[in-house]
Amino acid sequence: MLDVIAAKFDPPIWMGEQLHRGLLLRQLDCALSHRLTLVHAPAGYGKTSLLAQWRGSLAPAAAQVAWLTLERDDRDLKRLVRYLLIAIHSDAREGSRKTSSSDLPPRAALSAIINGLAGRSKPFVLILDDLHHADSEPVVTFLQWLIRLAPANCHFVFASRDYPRLGQSVLAAEGQVLEITAHQLKFSLEEAESLLARTDERLAASDIETILDRTEGWPIAVQLASLSLKRGGDAGRAIDAYCGSSTDLARYLSEQVLMTLPQETREIVIRTALLDRLTGGMVDLLCDRQDGWLVLERLEQQGVFLAPVTWERREYRYHQLFAEYLRDRFERSDRAGYSALQRRIAQWFAERGMVADAVNHAMLASDDALLAGIIEDAGGWRLIPQGLQGVVERGLSKLPRTLIRSRPGLALAQVYLQIKLGELGAARAEYDRLAAEAERAELSAGIRIEMQVVGETLADYENQPMTFEDLLAREALLRKLPANDHLVLANISETLGAKYFEGGWLERALQPTLAAREHYQACGSLYSDLFTRFLEARIKRAQGRSKEAAAILEAAWQAIVENFGARSDLAANCAAFQAELLYEQDRVAEARELLSWALPHMEQSDGWVDVYAVAYFTEAGALAGEGAFGEACDVVARARRVAGRRRLVQLEQLADIGEVDLRMTEGVSPAVVRAAADATGLDRYADMMAEESPQYRPVAVAASLCRVRLGLFTGAYEAALEELARLRAWADQRGAGRLLVDVNILAAAGMRGLGAIEDARHCFDEAVSIAMFQDIVRPFVDARLFVQPCLDDAMRADPQVDRFRAQFLKSLARTLATCRSVATGQGPFTEAEAEVLLYLSQGHSNKEIARLIGMSPDTVKYRLKSVFRKIGASRRRDAVRIAAERGLVSGQAAPYVSPPRRSSEAPDAADFHL
């Protein structure tokens, strides 16, 4: 993978005389007005020749054209996208070759390609020849996205033996697909006459018509017939041979060419046809010679379907139909000699680190021991994260199961492959079997470490919970690994940091995260390095250092845009984390703008629990804040579907908790919320906070906070405060500053509900102290159900004590003022009545409501009388309860809390009756 085959970026230079196919070339000119052009026909119909002619006919000013010839190994998506990047950026091929060696995943490459094409001023054409060689589900999916997302000035021209399924039905309905089929590609009578007229023997018109009729215009057959006639073949025998099938025809014509060669040359051709590409050194290897380059030159001159791949003649290749026949002939006639040569080729490639070619030829040699040794010696499971998953998959599929199980290196490769294919159950069964056998076997220390590394990776994919002792054991594993094994060290360190973070050990999470970054940098992998930056930003945010987190993400974003593109997988992940911080700053519109493209992008690519949770619940919170509760619930449902599809148990549990929170925000009755909480097992999740190492700490924290809000929602203040005390102790111990903001906001509401006004003010001041210098606003807004009375108390304090605090409180008051209206419909109430009912539900007195909404106290009383009359209530408390039960009050609704009064303040009449 370190070297590219430069010849793949230009059309091959075929031997023989080529007809100028004017009619087809004019049809191809229409490709510039179509999104997708498909040239599909069986082998030998001149697809490559036609596209090469068309490419040569295009003026440079008319379009920029990139060519890529595909091979079987291009079914490996990472290999294919690497070549695509180089082909498309052919003006900077050397630079592309360097960057392509980095760990660039397909989705990131897709974004890089699309972004690279966006700035081109003239039409751009991508020609993919021999697409059938690269037919695999990942490749097809990648090309579908490329066709769909590329700029409008991009045109795709694909040649394939079969009909490619690229989701082109929509494009076809819009008239954006141009097809050239075998029917159009077959030779016309005029074309056959032109070609056959070049032979020494003049054919009668009837003979030409017979050849054309019996071949059905198959261009390669006509050309082979022409070559046979040029070599002195009998016209009558050549014509009679066309009576068989096209396979028989290909065999007959190939034999006629082959048998005209001297015996020595014939043997060379049969041997060298085993390779797709030939050099002089490979001829020497296969034929035990020292003059390989001279042999290739002679073969080219003799016209045996061998042609230089490039103008420099550094590589040659046979016509594939001819080569396939020769290989089949060799294997059938001399199986032992065929296998011996394939074995020699495989060993030659293996010695040079060309693992994909080595595996392919070992498979053709049917030498299981050789194939197993090549895979093991090349690294086994390590080949997969290096981009050779397809090679490992092909190789292991050819080996007996007993052989794989008997060699630990292969068994680990099988387990790792099953992990990457999503077959976690099979991977766990195989790994446990291997681990049980390892207990009884004498294995090297290196193999035992490899087993532990693969086992840890399997546990991470299974999302298994880990105790603190498990994490300490993983730290011990790091100390056993070789210091220069950066790939494994980086992987283990990164997952260790992530697990420490998930468990709430924030300070301990930083060290392995930064160590992982150093190892990734030693590997030259910017892609993986950026994931450590995401994790570092998450840790900083959890510590309450949101500004530092934002700075880290901004630097990461710049690196992503410069190296991978602004719509890559990395960009989507970064955007999700940035959106969370923007939302907390109450920059909701900016957050939703990022999520509008990042969230759908992430749903189409791989992700992990943390980034999914951030994206889904930030979006749901923003929608709920706008009163769009139905849409918010739909977002939570999407999260649950993704969790089920990807076996993310933690995300599914967080979605359950999020749904309960939404019901409280929406303002449904306490009984309905309590039923929803019981149905989701909220208490069971929340009780996990008391455990030293709960199954999922984020779930326990979210459930505990949700249960606190439910307690405040139903007036169970003492129970809520007891739970908040436990949360506070845990957050203080772990340095979880961001959690302390939520804890203090809710504690202030609980204290106020019990009439402990001074304690409430103290808690609210603590929340403000943490939040005001980190631009954390949204927690107060989302908890406005409980915040407004506490904010009123804080605003009544001397604003000159701390001008920064006073400024923050004023800004917070303005923000809350914009959220006063009842969300999505006011039922039987006018807007003014709904606003009065909102503040009534928050426990404000008539005078406070009057001050907040700029009305006189008498007007407030008048509005309240209208509200009470419409819902049939005579008391404040009853009005709030009935409105909540009927869904007439939105998320701000809560059980009525009588506001504390000064001894001199008389109660409002509405407190008792109207």
Side-chain angles (χ1 to χ4, degrees), residues 168-240:
Q168 60 263 37
S169 56
V170 175
L171 289 174
E174 297 173 354
Q176 287 296 311
V177 177
L178 173 66
E179 290 189 33
I180 297 179
T181 66
H183 179 74
Q184 297 159 291
L185 286 165
K186 66 183 182 181
F187 276 168
S188 66
L189 179 60
E190 293 76 15
E191 288 173 324
E193 286 176 343
S194 176
L195 182 63
L196 293 171
R198 300 173 184 177
T199 62
D200 294 335
E201 182 176 351
R202 186 75 177 177
L203 292 179
S206 59
D207 291 336
I208 296 175
E209 290 177 358
T210 299
I211 291 175
L212 189 65
D213 179 63
R214 293 181 180 178
T215 61
E216 297 181 354
W218 187 23
I220 189 63
V222 179
Q223 188 160 347
L224 287 171
S226 172
L227 179 61
S228 178
L229 292 171
K230 283 182 179 180
R231 292 183 177 277
D234 180 73
R237 290 182 60 192
I239 293 171
D240 291 339

Coordinates of all heavy atoms in Angstrom, one line a residue, residues 168-240:
Q168 N -29.2 4.3 -9.7 CA -29.3 5.3 -10.7 C -30.8 5.5 -11.1 O -31.0 6.3 -12.1 CB -28.5 5.0 -11.9 CG -28.8 3.7 -12.6 CD -27.9 2.6 -12.1 OE1 -27.5 2.5 -10.9 NE2 -27.5 1.7 -13.0
S169 N -31.7 4.8 -10.5 CA -33.1 5.0 -10.9 C -33.6 6.4 -10.8 O -34.3 6.9 -11.7 CB -34.0 4.0 -10.1 OG -33.9 4.3 -8.8
V170 N -33.3 7.1 -9.8 CA -33.7 8.5 -9.6 C -33.1 9.4 -10.7 O -33.8 10.2 -11.3 CB -33.3 9.0 -8.2 CG1 -33.7 10.5 -8.1 CG2 -34.1 8.2 -7.1
L171 N -31.8 9.2 -10.9 CA -31.1 9.9 -12.0 C -31.8 9.6 -13.3 O -31.9 10.5 -14.2 CB -29.6 9.6 -12.0 CG -28.8 10.2 -10.8 CD1 -27.4 9.6 -10.9 CD2 -28.8 11.7 -10.8
A172 N -32.1 8.3 -13.6 CA -32.7 8.0 -14.9 C -34.0 8.6 -15.0 O -34.4 9.1 -16.1 CB -32.8 6.5 -14.9
A173 N -34.8 8.7 -14.0 CA -36.1 9.4 -14.0 C -36.0 10.9 -14.4 O -36.9 11.5 -15.0 CB -36.9 9.2 -12.7
E174 N -34.8 11.4 -14.0 CA -34.6 12.9 -14.3 C -33.8 13.1 -15.6 O -33.4 14.2 -15.9 CB -33.8 13.5 -13.2 CG -34.6 13.5 -11.8 CD -33.7 13.9 -10.7 OE1 -32.5 14.1 -10.9 OE2 -34.3 14.1 -9.6
G175 N -33.6 12.0 -16.4 CA -32.9 12.1 -17.6 C -31.4 12.4 -17.5 O -30.8 13.0 -18.4
Q176 N -30.9 11.9 -16.4 CA -29.4 12.2 -16.1 C -28.5 11.0 -16.3 O -27.4 11.0 -15.9 CB -29.3 12.7 -14.7 CG -29.8 14.1 -14.5 CD -29.0 15.1 -15.3 OE1 -27.8 15.1 -15.3 NE2 -29.7 16.0 -16.0
V177 N -29.1 9.9 -16.9 CA -28.3 8.7 -17.1 C -28.2 8.4 -18.6 O -29.2 8.4 -19.3 CB -28.9 7.5 -16.4 CG1 -28.0 6.2 -16.7 CG2 -28.9 7.7 -14.9
L178 N -26.9 8.3 -19.1 CA -26.7 7.9 -20.5 C -26.1 6.5 -20.5 O -25.2 6.2 -19.7 CB -25.7 8.9 -21.1 CG -25.2 8.5 -22.5 CD1 -26.4 8.6 -23.5 CD2 -24.1 9.5 -22.9
E179 N -26.7 5.6 -21.3 CA -26.2 4.2 -21.3 C -25.7 3.8 -22.7 O -26.4 4.2 -23.7 CB -27.3 3.2 -20.9 CG -27.6 3.3 -19.4 CD -28.5 2.2 -19.0 OE1 -28.4 1.1 -19.5 OE2 -29.4 2.5 -18.1
I180 N -24.6 3.2 -22.8 CA -24.1 2.6 -24.0 C -23.9 1.1 -23.7 O -23.1 0.7 -22.9 CB -22.8 3.3 -24.5 CG1 -23.0 4.7 -24.8 CG2 -22.2 2.5 -25.7 CD1 -21.8 5.5 -25.2
T181 N -24.6 0.3 -24.4 CA -24.7 -1.2 -24.2 C -24.0 -2.0 -25.2 O -23.4 -1.4 -26.2 CB -26.1 -1.6 -24.1 OG1 -26.7 -1.5 -25.3 CG2 -26.9 -0.8 -23.0
A182 N -24.0 -3.3 -25.0 CA -23.3 -4.2 -26.0 C -24.0 -4.0 -27.4 O -23.3 -4.2 -28.4 CB -23.4 -5.6 -25.5
H183 N -25.3 -3.8 -27.4 CA -25.9 -3.6 -28.7 C -25.4 -2.5 -29.5 O -25.2 -2.5 -30.7 CB -27.4 -3.4 -28.5 CG -28.2 -3.2 -29.7 ND1 -28.5 -4.2 -30.6 CD2 -28.8 -2.1 -30.3 CE1 -29.2 -3.8 -31.6 NE2 -29.4 -2.5 -31.5
Q184 N -25.0 -1.4 -28.8 CA -24.4 -0.2 -29.5 C -23.0 -0.4 -29.8 O -22.4 0.1 -30.7 CB -24.7 1.0 -28.6 CG -26.1 1.4 -28.4 CD -26.3 2.3 -27.2 OE1 -26.2 1.8 -26.1 NE2 -26.7 3.5 -27.5
L185 N -22.3 -1.2 -28.9 CA -20.8 -1.4 -29.0 C -20.4 -2.4 -30.1 O -19.3 -2.4 -30.6 CB -20.2 -1.8 -27.7 CG -20.2 -0.7 -26.6 CD1 -19.9 -1.4 -25.2 CD2 -19.1 0.3 -26.9
K186 N -21.3 -3.3 -30.5 CA -20.9 -4.3 -31.4 C -20.6 -3.6 -32.8 O -21.1 -2.6 -33.1 CB -22.0 -5.3 -31.6 CG -23.3 -4.8 -32.2 CD -24.4 -5.9 -32.3 CE -25.7 -5.4 -32.9 NZ -26.7 -6.4 -32.9
F187 N -19.7 -4.3 -33.5 CA -19.3 -3.7 -34.8 C -20.4 -3.7 -35.8 O -21.2 -4.7 -35.9 CB -18.2 -4.6 -35.4 CG -16.8 -4.2 -34.9 CD1 -15.7 -5.0 -35.1 CD2 -16.6 -3.0 -34.2 CE1 -14.4 -4.7 -34.6 CE2 -15.3 -2.7 -33.7 CZ -14.3 -3.5 -33.9
S188 N -20.5 -2.6 -36.5 CA -21.4 -2.6 -37.7 C -20.8 -3.3 -38.8 O -19.6 -3.6 -38.8 CB -21.7 -1.1 -38.0 OG -20.5 -0.5 -38.5
L189 N -21.5 -3.5 -39.9 CA -21.0 -4.1 -41.1 C -19.8 -3.3 -41.6 O -18.8 -3.8 -42.0 CB -22.1 -4.3 -42.1 CG -21.6 -5.0 -43.4 CD1 -21.0 -6.3 -43.2 CD2 -22.8 -5.0 -44.4
E190 N -20.0 -2.0 -41.7 CA -19.0 -1.1 -42.2 C -17.7 -1.2 -41.4 O -16.6 -1.2 -41.9 CB -19.5 0.3 -42.2 CG -20.6 0.6 -43.2 CD -21.9 0.1 -42.7 OE1 -22.0 -0.2 -41.5 OE2 -22.9 -0.1 -43.6
E191 N -17.8 -1.3 -40.0 CA -16.7 -1.3 -39.2 C -16.0 -2.7 -39.3 O -14.7 -2.8 -39.4 CB -17.1 -1.1 -37.7 CG -17.5 0.3 -37.4 CD -18.0 0.5 -36.0 OE1 -18.7 -0.5 -35.5 OE2 -17.7 1.5 -35.4
A192 N -16.7 -3.8 -39.4 CA -16.1 -5.1 -39.7 C -15.4 -5.1 -41.0 O -14.3 -5.7 -41.1 CB -17.2 -6.2 -39.6
E193 N -16.0 -4.6 -42.0 CA -15.4 -4.5 -43.3 C -14.1 -3.7 -43.3 O -13.1 -4.1 -43.8 CB -16.3 -3.9 -44.4 CG -17.5 -4.8 -44.8 CD -18.4 -4.0 -45.7 OE1 -18.3 -2.8 -45.8 OE2 -19.2 -4.7 -46.4
S194 N -14.1 -2.6 -42.6 CA -12.9 -1.8 -42.5 C -11.8 -2.6 -41.8 O -10.6 -2.5 -42.2 CB -13.2 -0.5 -41.7 OG -12.1 0.2 -41.5
L195 N -12.1 -3.3 -40.7 CA -11.1 -4.0 -40.0 C -10.6 -5.2 -40.8 O -9.3 -5.5 -40.9 CB -11.6 -4.5 -38.7 CG -10.6 -5.2 -37.7 CD1 -9.5 -4.3 -37.3 CD2 -11.3 -5.7 -36.5
L196 N -11.5 -6.0 -41.3 CA -11.1 -7.3 -42.0 C -10.4 -7.0 -43.4 O -9.7 -7.8 -44.0 CB -12.3 -8.2 -42.2 CG -12.8 -8.7 -40.9 CD1 -14.1 -9.5 -41.1 CD2 -11.8 -9.7 -40.3
A197 N -10.7 -5.8 -43.9 CA -10.0 -5.4 -45.2 C -8.5 -5.2 -45.0 O -7.8 -5.1 -46.0 CB -10.7 -4.2 -45.8
R198 N -8.0 -5.1 -43.8 CA -6.6 -4.9 -43.6 C -5.8 -6.1 -43.6 O -4.6 -6.1 -43.4 CB -6.5 -4.2 -42.2 CG -7.2 -2.8 -42.1 CD -7.1 -2.3 -40.7 NE -7.9 -1.0 -40.6 CZ -8.0 -0.4 -39.5 NH1 -7.5 -0.8 -38.4 NH2 -8.8 0.7 -39.5
T199 N -6.5 -7.3 -43.8 CA -5.7 -8.6 -43.9 C -5.2 -8.8 -45.3 O -5.6 -8.1 -46.3 CB -6.7 -9.7 -43.5 OG1 -7.7 -9.8 -44.5 CG2 -7.2 -9.5 -42.1
D200 N -4.2 -9.7 -45.4 CA -3.6 -10.0 -46.7 C -4.6 -10.7 -47.6 O -4.6 -10.5 -48.8 CB -2.3 -10.9 -46.5 CG -1.2 -10.1 -45.8 OD1 -1.2 -8.9 -45.8 OD2 -0.4 -10.8 -45.1
E201 N -5.4 -11.5 -47.0 CA -6.4 -12.3 -47.9 C -7.7 -11.5 -47.9 O -8.3 -11.1 -46.9 CB -6.7 -13.7 -47.2 CG -7.6 -14.5 -48.1 CD -7.8 -15.9 -47.5 OE1 -7.1 -16.2 -46.6 OE2 -8.7 -16.6 -48.0
R202 N -8.1 -11.2 -49.1 CA -9.3 -10.4 -49.4 C -10.5 -11.3 -49.1 O -10.7 -12.3 -49.8 CB -9.3 -9.9 -50.8 CG -10.4 -8.9 -51.1 CD -10.2 -7.6 -50.5 NE -11.2 -6.6 -50.8 CZ -11.3 -5.4 -50.3 NH1 -10.3 -4.9 -49.5 NH2 -12.2 -4.6 -50.7
L203 N -11.4 -10.9 -48.2 CA -12.6 -11.6 -47.9 C -13.7 -11.2 -48.8 O -13.9 -10.0 -49.1 CB -12.9 -11.5 -46.5 CG -12.0 -12.1 -45.4 CD1 -12.5 -11.9 -44.0 CD2 -11.8 -13.6 -45.7
A204 N -14.5 -12.1 -49.1 CA -15.8 -11.8 -49.9 C -16.7 -11.1 -48.9 O -16.7 -11.3 -47.7 CB -16.4 -13.0 -50.5
A205 N -17.6 -10.3 -49.5 CA -18.6 -9.6 -48.7 C -19.5 -10.6 -47.9 O -19.8 -10.4 -46.8 CB -19.5 -8.7 -49.6
S206 N -19.7 -11.8 -48.5 CA -20.6 -12.8 -47.8 C -19.8 -13.3 -46.6 O -20.4 -13.6 -45.6 CB -21.0 -13.9 -48.8 OG -19.8 -14.5 -49.3
D207 N -18.5 -13.5 -46.8 CA -17.7 -14.0 -45.6 C -17.7 -13.0 -44.5 O -17.8 -13.4 -43.3 CB -16.3 -14.3 -46.1 CG -16.2 -15.5 -47.0 OD1 -17.1 -16.3 -47.0 OD2 -15.2 -15.5 -47.8
I208 N -17.6 -11.8 -44.8 CA -17.6 -10.7 -43.7 C -19.0 -10.7 -43.1 O -19.0 -10.7 -41.8 CB -17.3 -9.4 -44.3 CG1 -15.9 -9.3 -44.9 CG2 -17.5 -8.3 -43.3 CD1 -15.5 -8.1 -45.6
E209 N -20.0 -10.8 -43.8 CA -21.4 -10.9 -43.3 C -21.5 -12.1 -42.4 O -22.2 -12.0 -41.3 CB -22.4 -10.8 -44.4 CG -22.5 -9.5 -45.1 CD -23.5 -9.5 -46.2 OE1 -24.1 -10.6 -46.5 OE2 -23.6 -8.5 -46.9
T210 N -21.0 -13.2 -42.8 CA -21.1 -14.5 -42.0 C -20.4 -14.3 -40.7 O -20.9 -14.7 -39.6 CB -20.5 -15.6 -42.8 OG1 -21.2 -15.8 -44.0 CG2 -20.6 -16.9 -41.9
I211 N -19.1 -13.8 -40.7 CA -18.4 -13.6 -39.5 C -19.1 -12.6 -38.6 O -19.3 -12.9 -37.4 CB -17.0 -13.0 -39.8 CG1 -16.1 -14.1 -40.5 CG2 -16.3 -12.5 -38.5 CD1 -14.8 -13.6 -40.9
L212 N -19.7 -11.5 -39.1 CA -20.4 -10.5 -38.3 C -21.6 -11.1 -37.7 O -22.0 -10.9 -36.6 CB -20.7 -9.3 -39.2 CG -21.3 -8.1 -38.4 CD1 -20.2 -7.6 -37.5 CD2 -21.7 -7.0 -39.4
D213 N -22.3 -12.0 -38.5 CA -23.6 -12.6 -38.1 C -23.3 -13.6 -36.9 O -24.0 -13.6 -35.9 CB -24.3 -13.3 -39.2 CG -25.6 -13.9 -38.8 OD1 -26.5 -13.2 -38.3 OD2 -25.7 -15.2 -38.8
R214 N -22.3 -14.4 -37.1 CA -22.0 -15.5 -36.1 C -21.4 -15.0 -34.9 O -21.5 -15.6 -33.8 CB -21.2 -16.6 -36.8 CG -22.0 -17.3 -37.9 CD -21.2 -18.4 -38.5 NE -21.9 -19.1 -39.5 CZ -21.5 -20.1 -40.3 NH1 -20.2 -20.5 -40.1 NH2 -22.2 -20.6 -41.2
T215 N -20.7 -13.8 -35.0 CA -20.1 -13.2 -33.8 C -21.0 -12.2 -33.1 O -20.7 -11.7 -32.0 CB -18.8 -12.5 -34.1 OG1 -19.1 -11.5 -35.0 CG2 -17.8 -13.5 -34.7
E216 N -22.1 -11.9 -33.8 CA -23.0 -10.9 -33.3 C -22.3 -9.5 -33.1 O -22.6 -8.8 -32.2 CB -23.8 -11.3 -32.1 CG -24.6 -12.5 -32.3 CD -25.4 -13.0 -31.1 OE1 -25.2 -12.4 -30.0 OE2 -26.2 -13.9 -31.2
G217 N -21.3 -9.3 -33.9 CA -20.6 -8.0 -33.8 C -19.6 -7.9 -32.7 O -19.2 -6.8 -32.3
W218 N -19.3 -9.0 -32.0 CA -18.3 -9.0 -30.9 C -17.0 -8.5 -31.3 O -16.2 -9.1 -32.1 CB -18.2 -10.4 -30.3 CG -17.4 -10.5 -29.0 CD1 -17.2 -9.5 -28.1 CD2 -16.8 -11.6 -28.5 NE1 -16.5 -10.0 -27.1 CE2 -16.2 -11.3 -27.3 CE3 -16.7 -13.0 -29.0 CZ2 -15.5 -12.2 -26.5 CZ3 -16.0 -13.9 -28.2 CH2 -15.4 -13.5 -27.0
P219 N -16.6 -7.3 -30.9 CA -15.4 -6.6 -31.5 C -14.1 -7.5 -31.3 O -13.3 -7.6 -32.3 CB -15.3 -5.3 -30.8 CG -16.7 -5.0 -30.4 CD -17.3 -6.3 -30.1
I220 N -13.9 -8.0 -30.1 CA -12.7 -8.7 -29.9 C -12.6 -10.0 -30.8 O -11.5 -10.4 -31.3 CB -12.5 -9.1 -28.4 CG1 -11.1 -9.7 -28.2 CG2 -13.5 -10.1 -28.0 CD1 -10.0 -8.7 -28.5
A221 N -13.7 -10.6 -31.0 CA -13.8 -11.8 -31.9 C -13.4 -11.4 -33.3 O -12.7 -12.1 -34.0 CB -15.1 -12.4 -31.8
V222 N -14.0 -10.3 -33.8 CA -13.7 -9.9 -35.1 C -12.2 -9.5 -35.2 O -11.5 -9.8 -36.2 CB -14.5 -8.7 -35.5 CG1 -14.2 -8.2 -36.9 CG2 -16.0 -9.0 -35.5
Q223 N -11.7 -8.9 -34.2 CA -10.3 -8.5 -34.2 C -9.4 -9.7 -34.2 O -8.3 -9.8 -34.8 CB -9.9 -7.5 -33.1 CG -8.6 -6.9 -33.2 CD -8.4 -5.7 -32.3 OE1 -9.4 -5.1 -31.9 NE2 -7.2 -5.2 -32.1
L224 N -9.7 -10.7 -33.4 CA -8.9 -11.9 -33.3 C -9.0 -12.7 -34.7 O -8.0 -13.3 -35.1 CB -9.5 -12.8 -32.2 CG -9.1 -12.4 -30.8 CD1 -9.9 -13.2 -29.8 CD2 -7.7 -12.5 -30.5
A225 N -10.1 -12.6 -35.3 CA -10.2 -13.3 -36.6 C -9.3 -12.6 -37.6 O -8.6 -13.2 -38.4 CB -11.7 -13.2 -37.1
S226 N -9.3 -11.2 -37.5 CA -8.4 -10.5 -38.4 C -7.0 -10.8 -38.1 O -6.2 -11.0 -39.1 CB -8.6 -9.0 -38.1 OG -7.7 -8.2 -38.8
L227 N -6.6 -11.0 -36.9 CA -5.2 -11.3 -36.6 C -4.8 -12.7 -37.1 O -3.8 -13.0 -37.6 CB -5.0 -11.3 -35.0 CG -3.6 -11.6 -34.5 CD1 -2.5 -10.7 -35.1 CD2 -3.5 -11.6 -33.0
S228 N -5.8 -13.7 -36.9 CA -5.6 -15.0 -37.4 C -5.4 -15.0 -38.9 O -4.5 -15.7 -39.4 CB -6.8 -15.9 -37.0 OG -6.6 -17.2 -37.5
L229 N -6.2 -14.2 -39.6 CA -6.0 -14.2 -41.1 C -4.7 -13.5 -41.5 O -4.1 -13.9 -42.5 CB -7.2 -13.4 -41.7 CG -8.6 -14.1 -41.5 CD1 -9.7 -13.2 -42.0 CD2 -8.6 -15.4 -42.4
K230 N -4.3 -12.5 -40.7 CA -3.0 -11.9 -41.0 C -1.8 -12.9 -40.9 O -0.8 -12.7 -41.6 CB -2.8 -10.7 -40.0 CG -3.6 -9.5 -40.4 CD -3.2 -8.4 -39.4 CE -4.0 -7.1 -39.7 NZ -3.7 -6.0 -38.8
R231 N -2.0 -13.8 -40.0 CA -0.9 -14.8 -39.8 C -1.0 -16.0 -40.7 O -0.2 -17.0 -40.6 CB -0.9 -15.3 -38.3 CG -0.6 -14.3 -37.3 CD -0.6 -14.9 -35.9 NE -0.2 -13.9 -34.9 CZ 1.1 -13.5 -34.7 NH1 2.1 -14.2 -35.3 NH2 1.4 -12.6 -33.8
G232 N -1.8 -15.9 -41.7 CA -1.9 -16.9 -42.7 C -2.9 -17.9 -42.5 O -2.9 -19.0 -43.1
G233 N -3.8 -17.7 -41.6 CA -4.9 -18.7 -41.3 C -5.8 -18.8 -42.5 O -6.0 -17.9 -43.3
D234 N -6.5 -20.0 -42.5 CA -7.5 -20.2 -43.6 C -8.8 -19.5 -43.3 O -9.4 -19.7 -42.2 CB -7.7 -21.7 -43.8 CG -8.7 -22.0 -44.9 OD1 -8.3 -21.9 -46.1 OD2 -9.8 -22.4 -44.5
A235 N -9.3 -18.8 -44.3 CA -10.5 -18.0 -44.0 C -11.7 -18.9 -43.8 O -12.5 -18.7 -42.9 CB -10.8 -17.1 -45.2
G236 N -11.8 -20.0 -44.6 CA -12.9 -20.9 -44.4 C -12.9 -21.6 -43.0 O -14.0 -21.7 -42.4
R237 N -11.7 -22.0 -42.5 CA -11.7 -22.6 -41.2 C -12.0 -21.6 -40.1 O -12.7 -21.9 -39.1 CB -10.3 -23.2 -40.9 CG -10.0 -24.5 -41.8 CD -8.6 -25.0 -41.4 NE -8.6 -25.3 -40.0 CZ -7.4 -25.6 -39.4 NH1 -6.3 -25.6 -40.0 NH2 -7.5 -25.9 -38.1
A238 N -11.5 -20.4 -40.3 CA -11.8 -19.3 -39.3 C -13.3 -19.0 -39.2 O -13.9 -18.9 -38.1 CB -11.1 -18.1 -39.6
I239 N -14.0 -19.0 -40.4 CA -15.4 -18.7 -40.4 C -16.2 -19.9 -39.8 O -17.1 -19.7 -39.0 CB -15.9 -18.5 -41.9 CG1 -15.2 -17.2 -42.4 CG2 -17.4 -18.4 -41.9 CD1 -15.5 -17.0 -43.9
D240 N -15.8 -21.1 -40.1 CA -16.5 -22.3 -39.5 C -16.4 -22.3 -38.0 O -17.3 -22.9 -37.3 CB -15.9 -23.6 -40.1 CG -16.3 -23.7 -41.6 OD1 -17.2 -23.1 -42.0 OD2 -15.5 -24.5 -42.3

